[in-house]
Amino acid sequence: MNRSYRIIPVYTGDVSGVASALFEMGGMVVIHDPSGCNSTYNTHDETRWYDSDSLIYITGLSNTDAIMGDDEKLIREVEEAAEQLKPDFIALTSSPIPYMNGTDFPALAKLITRDTGIPAFFAPANGMHDYVYGAGQAFLAVAKCFLEGNTADSVTGRNPVAAGGPVKSAGKCPRSEGIKSSVNILGATPLEFAAEGSVESLREILENDGWKVQSCWAMGESPEQLRTALESTVNLVVSATGFPMARYLEQSFGIPWVAGCPVGGFAKELLKCLRDTEADGQNRIPYLNRGACSCGGRVTLVGEPVTMGSLAAAITEKTGMTCSVLCPVEADPVLTGTLDIRTYGEEEAEAALKRAKRIVADPLYRPICPADAVFCSLPHQAFSGRCFRRDMVNLFQEEAFARILQQLH
């Protein structure tokens, strides 16, 4: 029971992560799940659902289907829908019931591909993980589909948390030779960047530094442009959801990566690292370079490690305060440093926060924080949903960063 939650909510689940990652890519996402609670995937977790269309469907798994395993019915209905809608691809994903029943999704995807001629694959999810895992696996699966033409048989479904340590760069991608200063943005979804204009601001920062944004996975980009990702010379991982894809592109095509967000004064260092990585092909995580300071106090930031780590580096650079990130999500350990803390469940998070004097976190963390701590509210779509949507800030704007610093003093 030490990983249960009684006060704070859990983070958005992996199935919602899959739906969010694939929302704008022109494919059909099929969630194998009973009807009833499926509105959570879109109407609660997906902010784009109200303004744009996407081919996201629920199979309406019945009791009989669950018990008897009527895969033929699932295949038939998916193929009938695909015949009418003609999507670019078909992504199958699971929920707890078919996961417990052992539904063979990679095999189903192979059969659908054979019958329809449309690439189909399994985006590994089962309702037991958080959005970082789900979106990360979805980005990885669709990248293999888009960039290699692979289908279900090439999607391994490995957990990125078990992926191991840092990866040395394999060198420049042969396909990108001669194309200078082009970058893919990896890991952009509203679950991480829900504030209006966030991705536009990110693109502007890169373009003002002379970069061509080759593709943005996956907000505000056409499927056709996403397919040009191999023309980039470097990848920028802006959240942990983009890290499995970054590793795949590095290992398969030699495109190196940098992890971080251009927040506050940290933007200068990050942009320099992009140039250095383009030149020497070495992967970098510059926000981990922040050290402990002997004076200036301490700040604990709670959340996904790439965005919070970058914000921590910006705060340290501006104030001299030591910043640590409390990471409660299923991000690859490579993305957290020696100053950071990984927690599993509410009890561990509460214990880690017990001595914190300054905290930056979603407002719903407040009940498990010390009463005398300085609390900087930073709403997060994947944690509190739409509760504090009006208060969400664009971290790439100087005014937003200045307000955070003001709250910490």
Side-chain angles (χ1 to χ4, degrees):
M1 295 298 290
N2 66 329
R3 295 191 181 181
S4 62
Y5 291 78
R6 63 185 181 87
I7 299 174
I8 62 175
V10 297
Y11 278 86
T12 293
D14 53 1
V15 181
S16 291
V18 170
S20 185
L22 304 181
F23 191 91
E24 297 184 23
M25 293 192 182
M28 183 171 74
V29 179
V30 180
I31 304 170
H32 199 26
D33 191 35
S35 295
C37 297
N38 53 66
S39 64
T40 302
Y41 303 134
N42 292 313
T43 57
H44 291 275
D45 293 331
E46 180 52 70
T47 57
R48 293 168 290 186
W49 188 254
Y50 301 95
D51 302 318
S52 58
D53 295 327
S54 186
L55 304 180
I56 299 177
Y57 296 95
I58 298 289
T59 60
L61 183 67
S62 68
N63 290 339
T64 302
D65 296 335
I67 295 169
M68 303 303 293
D70 192 354
D71 292 342
E72 290 80 6
K73 176 185 175 185
L74 170 63
I75 293 172
R76 183 175 66 253
E77 292 181 347
V78 170
E79 291 180 354
E80 288 175 357
E83 178 64 26
Q84 297 178 35
L85 300 169
K86 303 191 183 318
D88 288 349
F89 62 86
I90 301 168
L92 305 179
T93 193
S94 181
S95 62
I97 292 176
Y99 168 70
M100 290 186 290
N101 289 346
T103 302
D104 191 345
F105 284 97
L108 295 177
K110 282 185 178 180
L111 293 173
I112 292 170
T113 298
R114 182 198 66 187
D115 295 345
T116 65
I118 300 172
F121 55 84
F122 174 45
N126 54 24
M128 304 295 182
H129 299 278
D130 62 33
Y131 77 100
V132 171
Y133 174 80
Q137 290 301 303
F139 280 134
L140 176 61
V142 78
K144 290 181 177 181
C145 176
F146 273 15
L147 305 180
E148 286 190 342
N150 290 351
T151 52
D153 57 334
S154 68
V155 181
T156 64
R158 291 182 299 169
N159 187 333
V161 175
V167 181
K168 292 183 178 180
S169 172
K172 287 292 188 71
C173 172
R175 301 187 191 186
S176 65
E177 288 292 346
I179 302 174
K180 301 301 182 183
S181 301
S182 56
V183 59
N184 295 316
I185 299 172
L186 307 183
T189 76
L191 293 173
E192 213 66 65
F193 305 102
E196 186 176 352
S198 291
V199 173
E200 290 80 2
S201 296
L202 173 59
R203 297 179 74 117
E204 184 179 355
I205 290 171
L206 292 168
E207 289 168 356
N208 288 343
D209 194 56
W211 290 92
K212 174 188 176 184
V213 178
Q214 189 66 39
S215 64
C216 178
W217 295 68
M219 291 177 68
E221 202 74 272
S222 68
E224 292 73 25
Q225 190 63 29
L226 292 175
R227 287 185 170 89
T228 69
L230 295 184
E231 298 176 19
S232 175
T233 54
V234 65
N235 292 316
L236 177 62
V237 180
V238 295
S239 81
T241 62
F243 192 61
M245 180 180 170
R247 274 191 153 161
Y248 161 70
L249 291 176
E250 195 276 333
Q251 292 171 346
S252 298
F253 304 104
I255 304 176
W257 50 265
V258 175
C261 289
V263 180
F266 175 66
K268 182 178 180 181
E269 180 181 354
L270 180 66
L271 293 171
K272 180 182 182 302
C273 284
L274 278 175
R275 295 289 180 190
D276 293 342
T277 293
E278 182 187 35
D280 62 23
Q282 296 302 306
N283 307 320
R284 288 176 168 84
I285 311 179
Y287 62 80
L288 296 182
N289 296 336
R290 67 186 192 279
C293 303
S294 58
C295 59
R298 300 183 66 90
V299 180
T300 302
L301 300 93
V302 183
E304 183 276 324
V306 178
T307 52
M308 289 297 99
S310 301
L311 181 57
I315 293 172
T316 297
E317 188 272 339
K318 186 68 174 180
T319 68
M321 291 190 286
T322 299
C323 293
S324 61
V325 175
L326 189 155
C327 176
V329 295
E330 295 180 71
D332 194 296
V334 170
L335 300 174
T336 53
T338 56
L339 294 175
D340 303 329
I341 309 163
R342 299 181 65 86
T343 61
Y344 304 89
E346 182 181 299
E347 285 189 13
E348 289 188 15
E350 186 173 13
L353 292 168
K354 188 170 291 185
R355 294 183 178 84
K357 300 300 182 185
R358 295 180 178 87
I359 299 171
V360 180
D362 185 278
L364 293 186
Y365 270 100
R366 193 68 180 94
I368 66 168
C369 295
D372 60 346
V374 175
F375 190 87
C376 174
S377 175
L378 193 63
H380 188 207
Q381 177 75 26
F383 190 70
S384 57
R386 296 173 293 170
C387 293
F388 306 99
R389 180 154 177 75
R390 293 181 179 179
D391 301 324
M392 291 179 180
V393 298
N394 179 350
L395 286 176
F396 305 115
Q397 292 182 340
E398 285 296 331
E399 311 87 75
F401 180 61
R403 286 198 297 270
I404 291 171
L405 294 179
Q406 187 177 19
Q407 290 183 67
L408 291 175
H409 283 287

